[in-house]
Amino acid sequence: MNISADLAVIQPELFVAIAAMGMLMFGAFRKENPARIVSWMGVGVFVVAGVLVFAGPSDTSLAFGSQFIVDDFAVFAKILLIAGAALSLILAVPYNLREGIDQFEFPILIVFAVLGMMMMVSANDLISLYLGIELQSLALYVVAAIRRDTLRSSEAGLKYFVLGALSSGILLYGMSLVYGFAGSTNFEVLAQVFGADESASIGVIVGIVFIAAGLAFKVSAVPFHMWTPDVYEGAPTPVTAFFAIAPKIAAMALFVRVMLEPFGALVLEWQQVIWFISLASMMLGSFAAIVQTNIKRLMAYSSIGHMGFVLVGLAAGNEQGVTGILLYLTIYLFMNIGTFGCILAMRRGGQMVEDINSLAGLSKTNPMMALALAIFMFSMAGIPPLGGFFAKFFVFKAAIDAELYVLAVAGLLTSVVGAFYYLRIVKLMYFDESAEPFDKFLGREISVLVTVTAVITAFFFIGLGPVLTGAQTAAAALFAA
Amino acid sequence: MIIQALAFYLFAATAVASGVMVISARNPVHSVLFLILAFFNSAGLFVLIGAEFLAMILVVVYVGAVAVLFLFVVMMLDINFAEMREGFLQYLPIGALIGIILAAELILVFGSWVVSPEAAQILSAPELPAGGVTNTHALGQLIYTDYIYLFQSAGLVLLVAMIGAIVLTLRHRPDVRRQKISDQVGRRREDVIEIRDIPTGSGV
């Protein structure tokens, strides 16, 4: 066994792990408060890690007795989640300084969470999958409760922790059943075992359902979504932005790999489960969001709904579906970074405001921010020619190709309902009496990021070709095995 | 052979009995003590099947550290267990329903269990693997060679848990006086002691 060949495959993960420990040492031994500089070091680590992922092996390679896999799919997902984490960390810097979150461990925990996510995306074994999830979740629980002196943040952390532990238990139970019936935890062996015999035994199906339930919790799909609104509302806003993006991308990529690689031969057995959670997420995401008045809760329901749309692509279970999922996640990343940038700019009299009605008349007091937010809202509603339209288009097209007509129609109808609450925000900003203006200065980082993501979201169709090609190669890698 | 069988039944029966006592004892401290007894008996079972390393680890880690920690926690926390049991009847129906569903699932699952023909042979020869490696050695090979990736990942999970515990609980209080050993060692006689000549008889 050649260890250096293995190490070459896990180079990006190795770098991130060592860099995180280096940052920890740096922060612990520095005299003056290192929070700001460590945050920027974290962003730098993400940039280097992204380059390493990009420059990694071009063909599918396995490491450590095929517990770890790097293929085009993993590379695509890793670049997405690293970008999401880096952008949300940049959003967090001015906020943390302002609100007095001065623990330098914050960016370090984010880096460790990203390391866990990279391990999840590259997992090729049930055990490495579980360890990746735990590394990610444990860091996220702490980050949710980082403002330990406020009741809501501690509540968010505790709630996330208890429910997350429960979901890990469910996941492990399913994994043990699958291991017991298949005799291996390795994805390739599992795929061979399940590919060989026609009908899966009921124990395996119960195991798959439990695994799907555990992973559905991580992507906050209905009926495992209960934690999402409370955690999103209670956690500090940059943390919410981070939660809405990177972990969702990682968990969804993992979900896709687990369902299509080891259990790919059993697609008829799990398709109905995914079908149901997808439909339920789309419905709940659009109907429950209507009554929300807090913008962070609204974003929580919006992300539940988006995950429902993404799961449509998984329910399709074909290559177009996976392409659609990756495309959807790419656009979702930009829309969410921009929207959370706007939410971070909602500040009045030195206090964060989270009420949707406080956006009234924003077009008069801050026309640029209103325009950017309007672009994001139109895009989330899926109105052409903005990015969100293409995201939904490819996912639904895959569903129709897989003859899931009910799901596609339900998706279209729920996105109409969803359009109602997205457009309500636009209406508030442009047609209602203006409220007091927000505080002017919001940090250069935030305005730059909001502008850039708004431009990307608005003109996504220009870059659609390359992203689509990348997503197609990534999806093809998953089906080649 | 008969001694081995007797030892097995002794350990197994005691382990099961103390397991029952863990959940049925009224006093939580007794529960923890029964838990420790259960650990000891499981260690005995491990010795019987020739897994001496696991047996020792079980005693050292679980009895020596985890269970004793439990004991401290239980004794330190003033938990009113009578109050905790109050809502029991209220949740009984839904709890029973979930239990019945899970039991039905388990019965279905085990109904479809197929024991592979080789299983009996594997069970009858749990002895050392080829090449004369002891089982401690074999475990080491598994953990540090085959599963090094998972072992290191688990280490990272623990590191994050430690960072998290520190982030969430450490408070820097400015009014606390701490011992600074370097300052104490660096103290020179000249810095703190002043010698004055006082003329005799003049007083201080």
Side-chain angles (χ1 to χ4, degrees):
Chain A
M1 187 178 186
N2 189 359
I3 189 83
S4 57
D6 288 344
L7 291 182
V9 176
I10 63 155
Q11 213 171 27
E13 284 76 13
L14 205 60
F15 168 75
V16 172
I18 292 171
M21 288 182 253
M23 282 158 65
L24 192 62
M25 286 298 113
F26 177 80
F29 285 107
R30 205 175 145 91
K31 283 279 186 288
E32 64 265 35
N33 190 352
R36 191 187 170 88
I37 187 162
V38 174
S39 297
W40 286 109
M41 280 163 80
V43 176
V45 168
F46 288 144
V47 171
V48 178
V51 171
L52 284 176
V53 168
F54 199 70
S58 52
D59 47 343
T60 304
S61 31
L62 298 166
F64 298 107
S66 75
Q67 289 158 14
F68 189 91
I69 185 170
V70 178
D71 54 7
D72 286 333
F73 179 76
V75 168
F76 194 96
K78 276 185 203 174
I79 288 177
L80 273 192
L81 70 90
I82 289 174
L87 295 179
S88 38
L89 191 55
I90 295 175
L91 279 185
V93 174
Y95 177 91
N96 285 0
L97 287 181
R98 232 170 30 207
E99 303 286 317
I101 302 179
D102 54 359
Q103 290 104 323
F104 71 89
E105 288 94 344
F106 176 82
I108 293 170
L109 286 167
I110 300 264
V111 173
F112 272 119
V114 168
L115 176 63
M117 291 171 207
M118 292 165 77
M119 286 163 55
M120 282 160 68
V121 169
S122 275
N124 199 33
D125 189 292
L126 289 176
I127 307 175
S128 43
L129 174 164
Y130 175 70
L131 282 170
I133 287 188
E134 273 317 287
L135 183 58
Q136 179 230 212
S137 320
L138 212 54
L140 294 186
Y141 304 145
V142 180
V143 170
I146 195 95
R147 300 193 73 178
R148 56 188 188 186
D149 297 322
T150 62
L151 193 62
R152 287 202 314 173
S153 179
S154 332
E155 186 201 329
L158 194 64
K159 206 170 242 173
Y160 195 16
F161 174 67
V162 172
L163 291 175
L166 182 71
S167 84
S168 289
I170 293 174
L171 186 72
L172 281 175
Y173 186 52
M175 278 159 53
S176 69
L177 279 178
V178 169
Y179 175 56
F181 278 86
S184 173
T185 56
N186 193 279
F187 285 0
E188 281 156 18
V189 182
L190 287 176
Q192 274 172 13
V193 171
F194 296 137
D197 52 351
E198 289 297 301
S199 60
S201 69
I202 190 158
V204 174
I205 295 169
V206 171
I208 294 175
V209 171
F210 272 96
I211 291 179
L215 292 176
F217 177 90
K218 301 291 175 198
V219 295
S220 72
V222 178
F224 307 99
H225 64 285
M226 287 82 81
W227 57 278
T228 324
D230 293 339
V231 172
Y232 277 36
E233 190 190 358
T237 312
V239 174
T240 312
F242 179 67
F243 279 9
I245 299 161
K248 288 284 170 70
I249 295 174
M252 191 50 83
L254 178 70
F255 208 160
V256 170
R257 189 191 288 281
V258 170
M259 286 300 147
L260 292 177
E261 269 195 346
F263 308 131
L266 307 176
V267 62
L268 291 174
E269 312 286 350
W270 53 256
Q271 198 171 32
Q272 50 197 330
V273 177
I274 304 295
W275 187 90
F276 170 75
I277 59 178
S278 163
L279 185 68
S281 308
M282 291 190 294
M283 304 268 275
L284 187 112
S286 48
F287 284 104
I290 292 175
V291 293
Q292 301 303 322
T293 54
N294 181 304
I295 189 134
K296 278 159 82 179
R297 284 186 89 85
L298 180 90
M299 288 306 290
Y301 284 106
S302 152
S303 95
I304 293 173
H306 280 303
M307 286 303 128
F309 291 123
V310 176
L311 285 170
V312 171
L314 179 56
N318 52 20
E319 211 171 308
Q320 291 95 316
V322 179
T323 313
I325 289 175
L326 292 173
L327 196 71
Y328 202 114
L329 291 175
T330 315
I331 297 162
Y332 175 81
L333 160 75
F334 292 116
M335 294 190 301
N336 265 286
I337 286 285
T339 311
F340 275 101
C342 292
I343 295 175
L344 281 168
M346 288 168 63
R347 222 171 121 81
R348 189 170 283 157
Q351 289 251 311
M352 297 296 295
V353 281
E354 292 171 359
D355 190 10
I356 291 174
N357 288 325
S358 65
L359 285 166
L362 190 69
S363 63
K364 296 178 190 75
T365 55
N366 192 343
M368 288 312 285
M369 180 174 153
L371 178 66
L373 197 52
I375 289 175
F376 298 130
M377 290 301 128
F378 277 122
S379 174
M380 287 210 188
I383 289 167
L386 301 169
F389 166 72
F390 296 106
K392 290 205 172 79
F393 175 76
F394 282 102
V395 172
F396 290 146
K397 193 163 157 287
I400 288 171
D401 284 349
E403 297 180 348
L404 298 170
Y405 299 117
V406 177
L407 202 57
V409 170
L412 286 175
L413 292 180
T414 49
S415 62
V416 171
V417 177
F420 166 75
Y421 62 83
Y422 293 127
L423 297 187
R424 188 174 58 145
I425 294 179
V426 177
K427 178 222 160 214
L428 268 174
M429 293 190 301
Y430 279 91
F431 300 108
D432 279 17
E433 281 302 305
S434 66
E436 273 177 69
F438 290 127
D439 292 357
K440 262 286 167 249
F441 186 70
L442 41 110
R444 204 174 50 243
E445 294 94 340
I446 291 180
S447 30
V448 169
L449 275 188
V450 169
T451 317
V452 170
T453 48
V455 170
I456 293 176
T457 313
F459 297 104
F460 192 80
F461 58 88
I462 296 174
L464 183 64
V467 176
L468 195 60
T469 323
Q472 271 161 350
T473 22
L478 209 56
F479 284 89
Chain B
M1 230 31 216
I2 186 109
I3 296 176
Q4 215 174 6
L6 276 178
F8 170 77
Y9 285 113
L10 176 71
F11 285 138
T14 327
V16 172
S18 43
V20 171
M21 288 309 287
V22 171
I23 53 170
S24 59
R26 288 208 156 264
N27 188 334
V29 176
H30 294 173
S31 287
V32 180
L33 292 174
F34 275 113
L35 187 67
I36 294 176
L37 185 61
F39 282 146
F40 267 117
N41 284 288
S42 322
L45 289 175
F46 273 131
V47 170
L48 282 183
I49 58 169
E52 72 281 345
F53 181 74
L54 281 182
M56 292 309 127
I57 284 293
L58 195 70
V59 172
V60 171
V61 175
Y62 277 89
V63 178
V66 177
V68 173
L69 194 72
F70 271 6
L71 199 57
F72 275 124
V73 170
V74 169
M75 286 165 87
M76 298 255 191
L77 292 180
D78 185 25
I79 302 172
N80 189 347
F81 283 89
E83 207 173 87
M84 278 173 72
R85 291 205 181 101
E86 254 173 19
F88 183 70
L89 278 180
Q90 196 184 336
Y91 294 114
L92 188 65
I94 188 148
L97 185 70
I98 294 175
I100 289 169
I101 292 173
L102 276 179
E105 278 178 355
L106 276 179
I107 290 166
L108 282 175
V109 166
F110 281 105
S112 65
W113 195 288
V114 188
V115 179
S116 87
E118 300 97 57
Q121 294 166 19
I122 299 170
L123 270 183
S124 63
E127 288 306 312
L128 309 177
V133 230
T134 64
N135 75 51
T136 312
H137 196 138
L139 271 178
Q141 250 172 14
L142 272 183
I143 293 176
Y144 300 115
T145 309
D146 294 353
Y147 293 129
I148 179 74
Y149 170 65
L150 304 176
F151 182 70
Q152 293 293 340
S153 315
L156 281 176
V157 174
L158 290 180
L159 176 67
V160 169
M162 196 172 81
I163 298 174
I166 294 172
V167 170
L168 293 181
T169 54
L170 180 71
R171 280 165 204 279
H172 290 288
R173 269 175 292 186
D175 53 334
V176 174
R177 290 174 162 237
R178 289 200 172 76
Q179 184 180 23
K180 290 183 185 147
I181 294 177
S182 60
D183 284 6
Q184 290 175 345
V185 174
R187 226 159 123 101
R188 292 274 154 266
R189 185 163 162 264
E190 300 81 58
D191 302 338
V192 283
I193 295 178
E194 201 178 329
I195 298 173
R196 293 245 175 116
D197 260 340
I198 295 171
T200 323
S202 68
V204 180

